[in-house]
């Protein structure tokens, strides 16, 4: 019990210290950043620290284990918090320190002030109160389900968690031997979010809550929509509406308790766009020459910091999914154009030098955006380029029939549903948005954006675009261009989980429309409430049934396995594997080495729930070679398919093996090593 | 047409479009089956 508590304590301490240190650091710059932006920034900087420390330990020292990771982050965060406190105190000495006793009391006071402000806004709007209550209930429900059920989703078991398993068993971030189809993808996929999954396993020594990793991104997404809405000068009450309605997207609700990366990718894109947006008080991006000198200085200082934050966010996104370069390209163009426009409009005279502006914008982009982005996400692509001669291997990159990077595949391997292939590309998203589905899944392909997107957000986008054109609201138009470009350029944009960010645009448009019609009756908000309630009730997936919930609620965590859950999404393909999965989870302890000589559908289940054992592929042509390899690799258990040649070998050499598990399909034997 | 009338017209138009979108969304053939599945889920959850 004490050991379990120590693990939980270490996880809580390191996370508390890490995020508190960044929040304290940012508190010293509260005049530059809004409260929401500081929460989002603390999340991004904390995530940056997690990824960089793991890369340092895993790539350079090959010692990515719990203790070094804890100590390194403890040291960095302690140093940061000491620096942040002293910097805050220095800043306070100059102004209103007399009224304040300590930095932490001020931080707590600010948080409590924000909570009081938020409560008063919500209390004075009954519809908002209902929506917020449903939001809180949904968050509690997601946490409950994430805690109750193991990670059961297809891609999690197929490669997201095996990536974590391979890193944890070796303590190194390195290529794995290519024994199966999925191994090549495990090698080439960018792994930033998997490093965050690992963070949520390594201290606790179990995978109990790693499936809730994306929930952090969901909540960051809610804050981000609020922050963007406020920067668009939408009334704060409607900014809250927009941010909460963003959450009520079935694919977001369902994926928040899975080890997928789609919410993370879309939210990181939204956060990067948020950092690109100015909220200068003395004008907007086209009018900074109207600012006084000190205001302009403050603005330029803030602009540089937010640009670095945008670069870091974009870099984390680049290193999260193979589609990262597309988002980077769009954000890069946005940064350069935005900076060039600012250069032109802030010129005191009309005689500006175009060459100088291009040079300045490129320099600004390169140092403040590109370098941080490359730092956070470039490694995975550079590594692929060096090893495979192609940064996005195994995808082939061609331009005008010229092959730029050779690869194995020319497009997305997974076939699209037949109905989608029959439709015109313009009609495909509309068909999916109207949701001709019988149920939702975490990776729904023919639905998942929900009724709020189709019924309220789509018309809101059209209305707010028209309104922005009339009012010359360039910020909103720029936002619309960025999101629409990303949507149009994204391959398979009909697939809801790839384009969750577009819901962000819908939510902001709804906020804008609500703000515009705020004097009108409440029909729009009542419709929003009804659809929120509807989404709350219908975002259930057949993967988690009431019967499973009732069964699992009575089981201790070590018995809450996939084998017992038999989830609908994988059951047909994996029911013959449940026996050996359950046995491994129950009996394989830290340091044991499992040898296998077949291609399992899901590698993930070869590890126990702590990912504390090792797995090794031991396929050989002869019995003697196989025996030799078992000894070299110190294999302690062998998982064998019935009627395979390995099965025959162990039957003929019973003195070397002790069969501990056997069912219709598999055997697990303890390997008796010769002294 | 003054500003307020224009605003009223725009608001009515928006609500009308939302209504049409809602009808379009809820009359697709699979919606009934979708709702039946969800009702069954809740029946199971509430133990009925």
């Amino acid at each position: 019990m004490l050991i379990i508590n120590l693990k939980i304590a270490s996880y809580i301490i390191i996370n508390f210290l890490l995020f508190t240190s960044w929040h304290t650091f940012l508190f010293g710059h509260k005049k530059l950043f809004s409260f929401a932006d500081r929460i989002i920034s603390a999340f991004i900087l904390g995530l940056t620290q997690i990824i960089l420390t793991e890369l340092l330990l895993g790539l350079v020292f090959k010692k990515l284990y719990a203790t070094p990771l804890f100590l390194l982050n403890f040291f960095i965060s302690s140093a940061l918090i000491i620096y942040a406190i002293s910097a805050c105190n220095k800043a306070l000495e100059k102004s209103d320190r007399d009224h304040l006793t300590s930095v932490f009391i001020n931080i707590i006071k600010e948080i409590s002030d924000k909570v009081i402000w938020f409560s008063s806004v919500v209390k004075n709007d009954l519809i908002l109160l209902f929506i917020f209550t449903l939001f809180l209930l949904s968050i509690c429900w997601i946490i409950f389900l994430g805690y109750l059920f193991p990670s059961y989703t297809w891609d999690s078991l197929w490669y997201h968690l095996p990536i974590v398993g391979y890193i944890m068993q070796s303590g190194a971030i390195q290529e794995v031997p290519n024994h199966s189809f999925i191994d090549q993808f495990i090698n080439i996929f960018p792994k930033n979010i998997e490093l965050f999954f690992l963070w949520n396993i390594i201290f606790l020594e179990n995978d109990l809550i790693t499936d809730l990793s994306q929930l952090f991104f969901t909540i960051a997404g809610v804050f981000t929509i609020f922050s963007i809405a406020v920067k668009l000068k939408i009334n704060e009450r409607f900014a809250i509406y927009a941010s909460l309605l963003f959450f009520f997207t079935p694919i977001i609700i369902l994926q928040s308790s899975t080890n997928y990366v789609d919410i993370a990718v879309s939210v990181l894109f939204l956060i990067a766009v948020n950092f690109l947006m100015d909220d200068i008080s003395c004008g907007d991006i086209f009018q900074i020459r109207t600012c006084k000198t000190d205001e302009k200085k403050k603005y330029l200082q803030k602009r540089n910091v937010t640009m670095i934050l945008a670069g870091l966010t974009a870099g984390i996104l680049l290193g999260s999914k193979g589609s990262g370069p597309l988002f980077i390209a769009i954000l890069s163009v946005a940064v350069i154009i935005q900076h060039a426009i600012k250069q032109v409009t802030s010129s005191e005279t009309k005689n500006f030098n175009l060459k100088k502006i291009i040079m300045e914008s490129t320099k600004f982009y390169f140092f403040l955006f590109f370098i941080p982005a490359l730092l956070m996400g470039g490694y995975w692509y550079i590594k692929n380029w060096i090893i495979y001669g192609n940064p996005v291997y195994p995808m082939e990159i061609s331009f005008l029939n010229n092959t730029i990077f050779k690869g194995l595949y020319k497009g997305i391997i997974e076939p699209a549903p037949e109905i989608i292939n029959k439709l015109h590309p313009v009609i495909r998203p509309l068909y999916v948005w109207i949701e001709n589905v019988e149920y939702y899944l975490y990776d729904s392909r023919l639905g998942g954006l929900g009724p709020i997107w189709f019924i309220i957000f789509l018309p809101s986008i059209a209305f707010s675009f028209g309104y922005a054109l009339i009012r010359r609201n360039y910020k909103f138009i720029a936002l619309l261009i960025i999101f629409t470009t990303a949507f149009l350029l994204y391959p398979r944009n009909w697939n809801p989980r790839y384009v969750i960010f577009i819901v962000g645009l819908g939510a902001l448009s709804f906020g804008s429309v609500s703000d515009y019609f705020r004097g009108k009756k409440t029909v729009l908000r009542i419709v929003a409430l009804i659809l929120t309630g509807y989404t709350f009730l219908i975002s259930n997936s057949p993967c988690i049934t009431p019967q499973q919930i009732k069964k699992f609620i009575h089981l201790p965590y070590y018995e809450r396995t996939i084998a017992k859950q038999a989830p609908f999404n994988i059951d047909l393909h994996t029911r013959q594997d449940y026996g050996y999965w359950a046995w491994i989870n129950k009996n394989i302890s830290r340091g044991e080495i499992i040898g296998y000589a077949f291609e399992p559908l899901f590698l993930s289940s070869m590890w126990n729930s702590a990912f504390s054992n090792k797995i090794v592929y031991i396929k050989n042509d002869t019995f003697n070679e196989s025996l030799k390899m078992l000894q070299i690799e110190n294999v302690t258990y062998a998982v064998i398919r019935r009627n395979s040649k390995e099965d025959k070998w162990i039957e003929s050499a019973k003195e070397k093996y002790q069969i501990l598990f056997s069912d219709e399909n598999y055997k697990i034997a303890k390997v008796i090593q010769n002294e | 047409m003054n500003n307020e009338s224009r605003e009223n017209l725009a608001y009515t138009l928006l609500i009308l479009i939302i209504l049409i979108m809602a009808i379009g969304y809820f009359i697709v053939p699979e919606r009934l089956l979708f709702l039946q599945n969800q009702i069954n889920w809740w029946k199971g959850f509430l133990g009925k």
Side-chain angles (χ1 to χ4, degrees):
Chain A
M1 183 62 86
L2 182 67
I3 293 167
I4 292 171
N5 287 340
L6 274 176
K7 289 171 194 167
I8 296 170
S10 69
Y11 177 74
I12 292 171
I13 287 167
I14 198 65
N15 278 292
F16 181 75
L17 188 63
L18 187 134
F19 291 105
T20 306
S21 63
W22 283 114
H23 187 72
T24 310
F25 173 78
L26 292 159
F27 184 75
H29 301 84
K30 69 175 185 174
K31 285 177 183 165
L32 291 181
F33 299 100
S34 69
F35 179 73
D37 265 359
R38 277 183 281 127
I39 296 286
I40 300 161
S41 304
F43 173 65
I44 289 300
L45 291 168
L47 197 58
T48 300
Q49 185 180 321
I50 290 169
I51 292 168
L52 287 182
T53 51
E54 289 187 16
L55 283 174
L56 181 72
L57 289 173
L59 283 174
V60 182
F61 298 106
K62 315 274 183 208
K63 292 264 181 259
L64 181 42
Y65 302 114
T67 308
L69 188 62
F70 182 91
L71 291 175
L72 181 59
N73 279 286
F74 188 85
F75 174 74
I76 293 170
S77 296
S78 302
L80 178 68
I81 209 161
I82 290 165
Y83 167 78
I85 290 168
S86 88
C88 278
N89 279 333
K90 259 186 205 168
L92 292 173
E93 269 167 13
K94 289 176 193 165
S95 55
D96 51 353
R97 197 184 180 184
D98 294 345
H99 304 291
L100 309 164
T101 47
S102 81
V103 174
F104 287 120
I105 288 175
N106 276 290
I107 290 174
I108 293 165
K109 189 176 175 299
E110 188 196 31
I111 293 170
S112 69
D113 286 348
K114 292 291 172 193
V115 171
I116 291 165
W117 166 80
F118 183 81
S119 315
S120 69
V121 174
V122 170
K123 260 194 278 179
N124 290 327
D125 185 333
L126 201 61
I127 293 173
L128 190 56
L129 180 65
F130 277 127
I131 293 176
F132 181 64
T133 308
L134 291 176
F135 170 75
L136 281 185
L137 285 173
S138 300
I139 294 286
C140 293
W141 183 245
I142 290 168
I143 294 171
F144 170 70
L145 291 184
Y147 173 78
L148 195 65
F149 290 95
S151 200
Y152 61 88
T153 50
W154 191 285
D155 288 357
S156 311
L157 302 170
W158 204 25
Y159 55 86
H160 290 302
L161 289 177
I163 286 172
V164 175
Y166 276 125
I167 295 173
M168 285 187 69
Q169 74 170 21
S170 61
I173 298 169
Q174 60 192 9
E175 303 297 283
V176 299
N178 223 335
H179 296 304
S180 64
F181 172 77
I182 199 60
D183 281 333
Q184 67 174 343
F185 290 96
I186 286 174
N187 279 326
I188 59 97
F189 280 149
K191 301 175 178 64
N192 279 355
I193 302 301
E194 282 79 2
L195 293 180
F196 187 54
F197 295 160
L198 184 148
W199 177 265
N200 291 319
I201 295 173
I202 200 163
F203 301 114
L204 294 167
E205 291 185 17
N206 66 54
D207 62 354
L208 203 59
I209 62 156
T210 192
D211 50 0
L212 290 170
S213 301
Q214 279 209 106
L215 183 60
F216 292 95
F217 288 92
T218 300
I219 293 167
V222 170
F223 273 96
T224 306
I225 296 298
F226 174 81
S227 177
I228 298 176
V230 171
K231 287 175 188 173
L232 287 170
K233 307 260 186 279
I234 293 171
N235 175 284
E236 284 178 332
R237 182 161 67 105
F238 297 110
I240 298 172
Y241 265 102
S243 58
L244 294 179
L245 289 186
F246 167 75
F247 170 82
F248 282 99
T249 307
I251 197 95
I252 293 181
I253 295 172
L254 288 172
Q255 240 198 54
S256 289
S257 56
T258 69
N259 287 107
Y260 270 50
V261 301
D262 302 307
I263 299 174
V265 166
S266 275
V267 167
L268 287 167
F269 183 50
L270 288 168
I271 295 175
V273 171
N274 173 49
F275 285 136
L276 294 189
M277 292 185 70
D278 295 301
D279 56 345
I280 185 166
S281 55
C282 56
D284 61 30
I285 60 165
F286 303 106
Q287 295 168 351
I288 61 165
R289 65 166 165 250
T290 60
C291 297
K292 290 174 193 161
T293 315
D294 59 329
E295 279 177 327
K296 198 168 174 176
K297 193 178 158 194
K298 196 175 122 186
Y299 162 73
L300 292 174
Q301 185 193 353
K302 179 185 171 176
R303 186 202 60 182
N304 290 348
V305 178
T306 51
M307 200 49 62
I308 292 170
L309 284 166
L312 291 175
T313 310
I316 299 172
L317 163 56
L318 178 68
S320 300
K321 201 175 171 98
S323 57
L326 172 71
F327 293 107
I328 291 288
I330 291 162
L331 289 167
S332 299
V333 173
V335 170
I336 293 169
I337 291 176
Q338 186 193 38
H339 192 262
I341 291 173
K342 276 180 200 166
Q343 292 278 305
V344 173
T345 54
S346 64
S347 301
E348 293 301 326
T349 61
K350 291 284 170 195
N351 302 324
F352 57 84
N353 183 337
L354 187 66
K355 194 178 161 193
K356 194 182 160 198
I357 286 172
I358 292 171
M359 285 300 289
E360 282 285 320
S361 299
T362 311
K363 209 164 79 182
F364 173 83
Y365 160 77
F366 183 78
F367 288 107
L368 298 181
F369 184 86
F370 183 76
I371 296 281
L374 194 69
L375 173 77
M376 289 312 298
Y379 165 74
W380 310 109
Y381 297 89
I382 295 166
K383 183 257 310 172
N384 284 350
W385 201 343
I386 292 167
I387 297 176
Y388 306 103
N390 176 350
V392 291
Y393 187 82
M395 297 302 153
E396 187 157 300
I397 304 292
S398 305
F399 184 69
L400 299 172
N401 287 332
N402 293 315
T403 304
I404 300 166
F405 292 111
K406 273 194 82 126
L408 299 176
Y409 310 103
K410 287 186 177 169
I412 298 173
I413 307 158
E414 189 189 15
E418 206 178 321
I419 182 76
I420 290 292
N421 287 332
K422 284 180 189 165
L423 296 171
H424 187 275
V426 177
I427 305 295
R428 285 172 190 169
L430 285 171
Y431 177 82
V432 172
W433 294 345
I434 209 158
E435 305 198 308
N436 277 287
V437 289
E438 293 168 20
Y439 49 79
Y440 289 129
L441 278 180
Y442 54 86
D443 65 347
S444 288
R445 296 201 292 172
L446 298 178
L449 294 187
I452 295 178
W453 163 253
F454 187 77
I455 296 168
I456 304 183
F457 286 178
L458 272 181
S460 296
I461 291 174
F463 265 74
S464 51
F465 176 55
Y467 180 56
L469 279 180
I470 294 164
R471 296 292 296 266
R472 295 187 183 179
N473 184 347
Y474 296 116
K475 263 190 190 177
F476 188 86
I477 294 169
L479 210 67
L480 195 119
I481 292 170
I482 291 172
F483 287 128
T484 312
T485 309
F487 176 77
L488 292 175
L489 292 180
Y490 203 101
R492 295 206 173 181
N493 58 11
W494 51 265
N495 194 334
R497 73 182 170 108
Y498 296 152
V499 290
I500 291 170
F501 59 85
I502 204 78
V503 181
L505 175 66
L508 292 165
S509 303
F510 175 78
S512 169
V513 166
S514 306
D515 196 18
Y516 177 65
F517 292 122
R518 80 169 91 166
K520 302 283 160 202
K521 286 174 186 162
T522 52
V523 178
L524 195 58
R525 288 184 293 133
I526 288 171
V527 175
L529 175 65
I530 291 168
L531 292 179
T532 303
Y534 174 77
T535 307
F536 172 80
L537 289 172
I538 53 88
S539 294
N540 300 303
S541 140
C543 295
I544 292 179
T545 63
Q547 293 73 25
Q548 288 164 339
I549 295 171
K550 285 171 189 169
K551 182 168 125 187
F552 270 50
I553 217 161
H554 299 293
L555 296 175
Y557 89 91
Y558 51 86
E559 283 189 32
R560 299 200 298 260
T561 59
I562 300 174
K564 282 216 165 71
Q565 185 188 355
F568 156 87
N569 58 322
I570 59 168
D571 187 50
L572 201 62
H573 303 271
T574 55
R575 57 179 64 159
Q576 68 277 9
D577 298 351
Y578 290 156
Y580 87 85
W581 289 7
W583 195 90
I584 287 174
N585 205 48
K586 192 175 175 189
N587 297 289
I588 297 295
S589 51
R590 171 174 289 279
E592 303 285 6
I593 300 172
I594 291 180
Y596 64 100
F598 58 97
E599 195 175 318
L601 177 59
F602 296 130
L603 272 173
S604 176
S605 301
M606 287 282 184
W607 282 281
N608 60 23
S609 65
F611 287 86
S612 62
N613 61 295
K614 295 182 181 179
I615 66 168
V616 57
Y617 187 73
I618 46 158
K619 188 86 177 167
N620 272 298
D621 292 333
T622 66
F623 178 54
N624 285 339
E625 278 175 22
S626 190
L627 265 184
K628 203 173 154 190
M629 198 165 171
L630 287 174
Q631 291 210 329
I632 292 168
E633 299 285 353
N634 285 322
V635 170
T636 49
Y637 293 90
V639 181
I640 294 144
R641 246 189 191 146
R642 262 194 191 271
N643 303 322
S644 62
K645 83 181 159 192
E646 291 80 12
D647 186 21
K648 286 169 192 139
W649 290 344
I650 64 162
E651 284 300 322
S652 62
K654 286 189 174 164
E655 73 284 357
K656 296 186 187 301
Y657 302 96
Q658 184 189 356
I659 306 287
L660 298 177
F661 166 82
S662 176
D663 68 6
E664 288 171 4
N665 306 296
Y666 295 93
K667 286 178 184 172
I668 297 178
K670 187 167 176 58
V671 180
I672 300 159
Q673 297 278 4
N674 292 334
E675 291 302 319
Chain B
M1 193 184 274
N2 63 21
N3 264 352
E4 181 147 4
S5 309
R6 257 202 302 265
E7 208 178 285
N8 282 337
L9 188 70
Y11 189 68
T12 312
L13 190 65
L14 176 66
I15 299 298
L16 205 68
I17 292 172
I18 286 176
L19 209 69
I20 293 166
M21 298 293 264
I23 292 167
Y25 179 84
F26 282 105
I27 60 160
V28 297
E30 279 81 359
R31 194 67 64 230
L32 207 62
L33 195 55
F34 178 89
L35 288 171
Q36 191 59 52
N37 285 337
Q38 290 298 328
I39 290 166
N40 288 340
W41 195 97
W42 280 102
K43 271 185 183 169
F45 185 72
L46 298 170
K48 287 179 185 171

